[in-house]
Amino acid sequence: MFRQLSPRIFASPQIGLAEVAEARAQGIGLIINNRPEGESDDQISGAEIAAAAAAAGIAYVAIPVTHAGFSQPQVTAMAAALASTDAPVLAYCRSGTRSTLLWALAEASRGESPDALTAAAASAGYDVAPVRAVMDMLASPKS
């Protein structure tokens, strides 16, 4: 269920309490919730995931992304979350796509190669084409 984007970053569809335990078993040190609350009736709340993560000794942060798209504060928050730990990180949303797109934007903003990020996402089964132009812009040298 967890798709590997890089040696320490994983993306996933919506997780439940069992997946928090699985994340702990796999050494995940941070869970990032990219799903807004109340997006669907069958969704487990962020508060429940946060409580399960805390009980498992896993850090938790929510950076919700709606279908309206991405903002600079979300990209900045994701970059900060990724930089906050050397432990493996699991980011999740409804399908894993928004988490992957936000990861790619955050990493591009930190100077990672958009080509390498695109290839990594593709190898995990995700397409970053919807944000590729922004990735290129974020990764370009600042003047």
Side-chain angles (χ1 to χ4, degrees):
M1 173 171 194
F2 303 161
R3 297 184 190 182
Q4 192 163 10
L5 300 173
S6 75
R8 68 177 194 93
I9 310 297
F10 299 83
S12 172
Q14 174 71 51
I15 63 172
L17 304 182
E19 287 78 24
V20 173
E22 180 183 334
R24 180 68 189 139
Q26 291 186 26
I28 298 293
L30 171 63
I31 293 175
I32 301 172
N33 176 359
N34 297 128
R35 194 162 188 198
E37 290 299 318
E39 188 174 50
S40 71
D41 292 336
D42 62 347
Q43 169 181 347
I44 297 176
S45 75
E48 290 176 83
I49 299 297
I58 302 172
Y60 172 91
V61 65
I63 307 168
V65 176
T66 68
H67 291 289
F70 303 93
S71 67
Q72 185 60 50
Q74 291 165 323
V75 173
T76 300
M78 185 70 156
L82 296 173
S84 73
T85 182
D86 290 328
V89 175
L90 172 64
Y92 77 91
C93 59
R94 186 190 63 76
S95 68
T97 299
R98 282 175 281 174
S99 293
T100 299
L101 297 178
L102 187 55
W103 161 80
L105 290 168
E107 292 293 73
S109 76
R110 293 171 13 135
E112 294 296 325
S113 160
D115 289 337
L117 294 167
T118 299
S123 72
Y126 294 108
D127 179 9
V128 297
V131 297
R132 178 55 198 255
V134 179
M135 289 168 57
D136 290 338
M137 181 186 69
L138 289 170
S140 67
K142 314 298 184 260
S143 47

